[in-house]
Amino acid sequence: MLGTGAREHALVTALAADPDVSSVVCAPGNAGTAALAEPREVDQLDGGAVAALAEDVGAELVVVGPEAPLVAGVADALRDKGFPTFGPSGAAARLEGSKAFAKEVMVAAGVPTAGSWHVAAGDDARLEQVLADLPAPYVVKHDGLAAGKGVVVTDSLREATEHGRGHDVVVEEYLDGPEVSVFAVVTDAGITPLLPAQDHKRVGDGDAGPNTGGMGAYAPLPWAPPGLVDDVVAQVVRPTVAEMERRGTPFRGLLYAGLALTAAGIQVVEFNARFGDPETQAVLALLDSPLTQLLLGTAPPRWRSGSAVTVVLAAPGYPAAPQLGGVLTGPLDAPGVLHAGTRRTGAGEVVSSGGRVLSVTATGTDVADARGSAYDLLARISLPGGHHRTDIGLRGVNP
Ligand SMILES: Nc1ncnc2c1ncn2[C@@H]1O[C@H](COP(=O)(O)OP(=O)(O)OP(=O)(O)O)[C@@H](O)[C@H]1O
Ligand SMILES: [Mg+2]
C-alpha cells in the first residue's frame, strides 16, 4: 500500500482482513497503519524507488492510494517491473491530473458535464472576457493537481479573475444541485460501481467556510434517486472508459466520479483517479467481501445492509494554517479510528502531523444510528484545539 492518509488506513484494514492476504506493507503509513502493516519509508513520487521497495518486500499486489504518484507514472513503473498494481497509468490518471484533459475526454465521450472554457496562463484578456459573459457564481479551476486549493466557486468576479490570473485554468458553468461521489473499479473484467457516498467539503457546519480535503462522509445515500448508480455507469463511467480505450490509454483502477444532481440530470463535477478520502472510509466499512477480489475484478462485492458515517478530526487552524504536534489521547487503536496525519514519537505518544488528523467511522442500521456511534467514538478522542463538523450525514437522516 502506497500512501499515508485515513483512506490508506481504511484500505490497509480491509487488506489485512482479507483471507487471501498474508501480510501488508504501508509506505510511508502513519501511527494507525503501523499496527496492521509494516511501515517503510519511500519517496512516493519516485517510480524506481517504489518498484525497488515492491521487489524488496516481494509484493504480490501494490495499491497506489494518492493521486500524485499516479499522475507521476508510479503505477507504470511498477507494472513495467511485473508487479500487479491497482491504479491507472500516468496517461490515464490525467483524467484527474488535468481538468482540461478531463473536459476534453468528457466532451468526446458525450458525458454530461458543465460547459467549460480552457484559458492558457497569461491570456488575461480572454479570462476576463469568458468570465464577463457568465452569470455568477463563477467557477475557476487551476488545470493541474492542486491538493484541494485549485478551485474557487465565488460570487465575486474580482476573486474569480484573481484566482485565474497567471494560471492555466478551466472556467466552468456553475452546477446547482446536491453532490454525490460514485466510485467505480475498472479492471479487464469490467466496471464495478461501489455504493454511492456524499462528502462534506467545507470546513464548517452547514457548509460554511473554505473548502477542505473533506470533513466527513456517509454511504449509501437514502435520498438518492432510484437507479442513480446504474445511470452513472451508463452515462458517465462506461463512455469515459470507452473513450480512454479508444485513445490507446485504457483506464484501469478506481474512477471516481464527482457528480452534481441538477435539474437537468446527472452532471460530472470532476474525475479523480483514485479512492476518495473520506468517502472510502464509509464505503469500505460496508464492504462484506474480500477487497482483493474487488480490486482484481475476480468477484463482485457484497455489501452489508445499513449505513456508515465518517467524521474527520482536524488540527487547529486547518485548512488555512494547521498547527501540528498536538498530543492525541483516547482509544486511538479502536476499530473505526482511521489515522491520517499522525505519528508516534520516541516517547510513545501519538501526535498530529497533518491537517486532517484522523477520522472515525461507524456503521449502523441507518444513517442516524451510524452517526450516533461515530460521534460517540469521536467524543472519546481528544486533541487540544482540534475541530470537527457536527452535521455529517444529517442530510441522510429522515430523507
Ligand atoms: N461547475 C461547478 N459548479 C458548482 N460547484 C462546483 C463546480 N465545480 C466544482 N465545484 C465545487 O468545487 C469543489 C471542488 O471542485 P473539484 O472537485 O473540481 O476540485 P478538486 O480540487 O479536484 O477536488 P478534490 O479534492 O475532491 O479532488 C467541488 O466538490 C464542488 O463543490
Ligand atoms: Mg479532484
Side-chain angles (χ1 to χ4, degrees):
M1 178 81 232
L2 192 64
T4 188
R7 162 187 58 207
E8 283 74 19
H9 194 177
L11 287 161
V12 161
T13 302
L15 289 171
D18 187 320
D20 290 332
V21 175
S22 54
S23 67
V24 188
V25 172
C26 188
N30 57 43
T33 61
L36 298 164
E38 180 194 344
R40 293 290 292 258
E41 285 303 322
V42 74
D43 176 353
Q44 293 185 63
L45 299 182
D46 181 342
V50 175
L53 174 60
E55 179 84 51
D56 190 45
V57 303
E60 291 170 82
L61 173 66
V62 183
V63 180
V64 182
E67 60 275 20
L70 291 167
V71 171
V74 167
D76 306 77
L78 286 161
R79 276 191 284 261
D80 285 349
K81 297 273 188 221
F83 294 104
T85 301
F86 186 79
S89 67
R94 266 188 97 197
L95 281 177
E96 173 163 8
S98 166
K99 303 255 183 217
F101 175 75
K103 282 290 188 185
E104 183 192 310
V105 170
M106 283 187 262
V107 170
V111 169
T113 188
S116 69
W117 296 263
H118 184 191
V119 182
D123 197 349
D124 294 348
R126 176 135 188 278
L127 177 66
E128 283 166 29
Q129 186 59 55
V130 166
L131 286 168
D133 288 345
L134 285 170
Y138 307 98
V139 180
V140 180
K141 304 184 173 185
H142 293 177
D143 181 52
L145 291 184
K149 296 199 165 65
V151 175
V152 297
V153 180
T154 176
D155 284 327
S156 157
L157 183 58
R158 202 173 59 85
E159 193 193 340
T161 313
E162 285 306 313
H163 183 71
R165 229 189 275 287
H167 295 272
D168 213 353
V169 293
V170 174
V171 179
E172 288 184 16
E173 287 168 350
Y174 179 76
L175 296 171
D176 198 9
E179 287 183 45
V180 306
S181 306
V182 174
F183 299 168
V185 171
V186 186
T187 68
D188 290 344
I191 294 168
T192 306
L194 312 190
L195 296 176
Q198 188 170 47
D199 184 7
H200 298 60
K201 280 201 184 294
R202 302 276 177 166
V203 72
D205 283 355
D207 293 331
N211 263 331
T212 68
M215 295 298 289
Y218 65 104
L221 307 174
W223 51 267
L228 171 71
V229 170
D230 290 344
D231 290 347
V232 172
V233 170
Q235 294 174 34
V236 175
V237 181
R238 203 174 292 290
T240 301
V241 168
E243 175 63 17
M244 294 301 283
E245 205 85 43
R246 199 188 63 73
R247 290 171 179 241
T249 52
F251 188 98
R252 295 289 182 273
L254 193 293
L255 184 61
Y256 167 134
L259 309 155
L261 306 187
T262 72
I266 295 166
Q267 300 274 327
V268 175
V269 173
E270 65 151 347
F271 283 135
N272 292 316
R274 37 76 194 177
F275 281 96
D277 187 335
E279 299 98 309
T280 298
Q281 292 90 297
V283 170
L284 290 186
L286 296 168
L287 180 67
D288 198 24
S289 54
L291 179 61
T292 54
Q293 292 182 2
L294 172 64
L295 301 185
L296 297 170
T298 52
R302 279 192 317 274
W303 300 104
R304 292 188 184 97
S305 60
S307 299
V309 171
T310 295
V311 184
V312 171
L313 174 63
Y318 178 79
Q323 297 158 35
L324 309 181
V327 177
L328 287 145
T329 53
L332 300 175
D333 300 320
V337 178
L338 297 169
H339 292 227
T342 66
R343 105 189 132 72
R344 200 172 285 279
T345 65
E349 284 176 332
V350 176
V351 299
S352 61
S353 60
R356 287 191 298 172
V357 179
L358 55 76
S359 62
V360 296
T361 299
T363 57
T365 51
D366 56 17
V367 180
D369 188 29
R371 250 176 70 77
S373 300
Y375 279 109
D376 285 349
L377 179 54
L378 186 58
R380 295 163 58 206
I381 294 174
S382 91
L383 169 69
H387 61 97
H388 64 269
R389 280 180 63 159
T390 66
D391 62 350
I392 303 301
L394 265 192
R395 199 194 154 93
V397 177
N398 301 319

